């Protein structure tokens, strides 16, 4: 574990707990951004504020020539009422850091201070990306990229504190690691009427129900069984009284895949199936399909770097090959532009009660994992700086 990070851990915890008490939703991270920018400037780091919203780009240029590495953390919280009972619980009703972004930000601040203090001996440049709005599409990654965040960058790295893994572990995997995420909204229009005279109506609920059942066959009968995919219906809403045939019903859901061909196939099947099944019941359908984040695909050579670097950076840790995950991450956009690696650091601890999943109102994590996250980011960057230009 990095000695500088060990010495600064108590302050890292203070930063994290301040952010946890004062969470801000996606696209609203004004105070969070100002807090982080202030810390970076106190370290003597040059900062571009309000990049593509409330994003920040900090730059540490070493005295010696070398490569450029980008390190990224996300800053936004979720619309969840906290029930953790922690003394540092959210002070903002209905808003909570329930995914560990406060820890990501604190860990990258720790890494930022390390590189700022090492500037005179640093070979290369560190680009610090404090990103807003990861939780809500279209997300904050693309605005940073469009504003030059990756210009001249040789590699990009990010870490997610992950409570399903115990503290003392770290993992990554080459290739697809996190799924793409799309959303669909299907409106079925029939002809309403009296519930006692259904023969004079076109029942949108019956048509929608048939469609929900048929959508379950998209993955099982249209997708290559060797290619993971998910189609989940989240809501079905129609009608307003027990004796009225509903004229309109809405279905909403999500699609998760790991490759673009499967992604396009599923979209086409959902759109075609919706129109045809609605028509077969005498109804009509309209489909709104929102394309979200692409699949997160780690660069093979940079993932090899992780497995080479992590054991020395995290002595005593169990270093594992991660299983691909269906949750999505807009870090995927960075990896479309530059070689890099997204890594998981275990942050669960059953003995301390850190057992709740991400996005849960009682979510919390073992703060010692922040030391590992910061140390890993530093080690990955320094490994790049050691290479010949």
């Amino acid at each position: 574990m990095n000695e500088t990070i060990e010495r600064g851990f108590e302050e890292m915890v203070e930063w994290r707990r301040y952010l946890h008490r004062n969470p801000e939703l996606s696209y609203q991270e004004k105070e969070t951004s100002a807090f982080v920018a202030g810390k970076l400037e106190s370290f003597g780091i040059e900062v571009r504020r309000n990049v593509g919203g409330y994003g920040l780009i900090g730059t540490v240029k070493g005295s010696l020539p070398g490569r450029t590495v980008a390190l990224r953390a996300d800053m936004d919280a979720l619309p969840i009422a906290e029930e953790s009972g922690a003394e540092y619980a959210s002070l903002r009703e209905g808003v909570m850091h329930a995914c560990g972004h406060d820890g990501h930000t604190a860990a990258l601040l720790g890494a930022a201070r390390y590189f700022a203090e090492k500037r005179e001996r640093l070979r290369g440049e560190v680009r610090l990306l404090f990103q807003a709005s990861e939780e809500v599409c279209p997300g904050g990654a693309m605005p940073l990229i469009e504003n030059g965040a990756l210009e001249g960058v040789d590699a990009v790295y990010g870490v997610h504190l992950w409570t399903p893994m115990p503290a003392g572990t770290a993992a990554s995997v080459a290739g697809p690691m996190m799924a793409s995420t799309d959303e669909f909204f299907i409106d079925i229009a029939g002809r309403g009427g009296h519930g006692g005279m259904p023969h004079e109506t076109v029942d949108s609920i019956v048509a929608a129900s048939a469609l929900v059942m048929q959508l379950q066959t998209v993955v099982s009968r249209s997708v290559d069984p060797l290619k993971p995919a998910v189609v989940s219906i989240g809501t079905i809403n129609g009608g307003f009284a027990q004796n009225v045939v509903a004229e309109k019903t809405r279905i909403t859901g999500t699609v998760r895949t790991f490759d673009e061909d499967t992604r396009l196939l599923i979209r086409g099947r959902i759109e075609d199936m919706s129109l045809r099944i609605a028509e077969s019941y005498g109804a009509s359908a309209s489909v709104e399909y929102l394309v979200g984040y692409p699949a997160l695909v780690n660069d093979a050579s940079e993932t090899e770097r992780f497995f080479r670097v992590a054991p020395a950076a995290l002595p005593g840790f169990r270093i594992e090959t991660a299983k691909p995950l269906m949750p999505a991450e807009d870090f995927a956009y960075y990896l479309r532009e530059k070689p890099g690696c997204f890594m998981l650091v275990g942050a669960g601890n059953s003995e301390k009660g850190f057992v709740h999943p991400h996005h849960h109102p009682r979510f919390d994590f073992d703060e010692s994992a922040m030391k590992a996250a910061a140390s890993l980011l530093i080690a990955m960057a320094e490994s790049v700086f050691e290479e010949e230009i």
Side-chain angles (χ1 to χ4, degrees):
M1 200 80 70
N2 187 282
E3 292 182 5
T4 303
I5 295 300
E6 286 274 11
R7 289 196 302 271
F9 176 59
E10 288 187 11
E11 194 166 12
M12 194 184 300
V13 170
E14 291 176 7
W15 299 334
R16 182 260 165 160
R17 294 187 177 187
Y18 169 84
L19 293 169
H20 196 89
R21 291 189 186 98
N22 299 278
E24 293 178 296
L25 295 174
S26 304
Y27 305 100
Q28 300 176 28
E29 308 95 330
K30 182 178 180 179
E31 293 178 19
T32 301
S33 182
F35 172 83
V36 173
K39 291 298 178 186
L40 293 173
E41 288 169 349
S42 75
F43 304 154
I45 295 174
E46 174 188 336
V47 182
R48 285 177 60 192
R49 296 180 181 233
N50 302 321
V51 182
Y54 291 113
L56 302 169
I57 301 177
T59 302
V60 181
K61 292 183 178 180
S63 298
L64 303 172
R67 299 184 184 276
T68 299
V69 174
L71 306 176
R72 175 269 205 171
D74 37 18
M75 302 188 292
D76 53 330
L78 288 155
I80 295 174
E82 182 159 2
E83 299 175 6
S84 70
E87 60 89 11
Y88 46 84
S90 172
L91 300 176
R92 294 180 175 162
E93 186 175 354
V95 183
M96 176 191 176
H97 271 294
C99 200
H101 294 189
D102 49 344
H104 302 165
T105 299
L108 187 53
L109 279 173
R113 181 165 61 183
Y114 169 85
F115 284 116
E117 292 175 353
K118 192 184 178 184
R119 185 184 286 113
E120 296 302 317
R121 293 173 286 119
L122 184 63
R123 290 177 53 192
E125 176 182 324
V126 180
R127 196 82 50 81
L128 303 157
L129 310 182
F130 288 88
Q131 182 202 306
S133 314
E134 186 276 331
E135 293 287 2
V136 179
C137 290
M142 283 306 298
L144 281 181
I145 293 169
E146 290 164 357
N147 281 276
L150 296 181
E151 289 182 6
V153 166
D154 295 291
V156 58
Y157 305 116
V159 169
H160 203 305
L161 301 176
W162 197 241
T163 59
M165 289 167 44
T169 60
S172 191
V173 65
M177 179 174 168
M178 301 184 78
S180 62
T181 175
D182 300 329
E183 298 175 347
F184 57 86
F185 306 83
I186 305 170
D187 290 300
I188 306 293
R191 185 173 65 251
H194 198 291
M197 304 172 69
H199 60 292
E200 297 182 354
T201 72
V202 174
D203 194 334
S204 68
I205 289 180
V206 170
S209 298
L211 177 56
V212 167
M213 296 307 296
Q214 288 303 307
L215 288 174
Q216 305 309 305
T217 69
V218 171
V219 172
S220 66
R221 289 297 175 267
S222 296
V223 174
D224 183 338
L226 298 179
K227 295 183 176 181
V230 169
V231 175
S232 290
I233 307 302
T235 69
I236 176 169
N237 294 297
F240 55 87
Q242 79 282 359
N243 60 348
V244 177
V245 172
E247 185 160 328
K248 296 180 180 180
T249 299
R250 167 166 272 212
I251 300 166
T252 70
T254 188
V255 175
R256 307 294 170 110
T257 66
F258 286 105
D259 68 272
E260 288 300 309
D261 288 343
T262 303
R263 193 181 193 187
L264 290 172
L265 169 68
I266 290 176
R267 177 178 183 172
R269 293 293 292 133
I270 289 173
E271 292 175 337
D272 182 64
M273 192 176 284
S274 298
L275 300 179
R276 290 179 181 275
I277 289 179
E279 183 181 7
S280 72
Y281 282 85
S284 62
S286 61
V287 181
E288 181 183 7
Y289 200 95
L290 300 182
V291 176
Y293 302 154
L296 186 154
V297 182
N298 279 329
D299 179 82
S301 61
E302 292 301 335
T303 307
E304 288 179 9
R305 186 191 304 276
F306 162 77
F307 284 106
R308 188 169 67 250
V309 165
L314 306 175
F317 272 54
R318 189 167 69 250
I319 309 302
E320 303 176 339
T321 299
K323 295 180 179 179
L325 300 167
M326 282 302 177
E329 241 287 351
D330 75 348
F331 192 83
Y333 289 119
Y334 302 110
L335 293 175
R336 281 191 160 190
E337 300 292 326
K338 299 290 181 177
C341 184
F342 195 63
M343 302 161 285
L344 303 177
V345 169
N349 190 322
S350 59
E351 293 181 1
K352 296 181 180 179
F354 301 134
V355 297
H356 298 285
H358 295 255
H359 295 210
H360 189 282
R362 295 178 64 188
F363 173 85
D364 203 351
F365 63 84
D366 189 327
E367 290 174 322
S368 69
M370 295 190 296
K371 290 189 291 186
S375 297
L376 185 56
L377 289 172
I378 290 168
M380 292 292 284
E382 290 189 327
S383 172
V384 175
F385 297 146
E386 292 168 0
E387 296 176 348
E388 294 291 333
I389 299 177

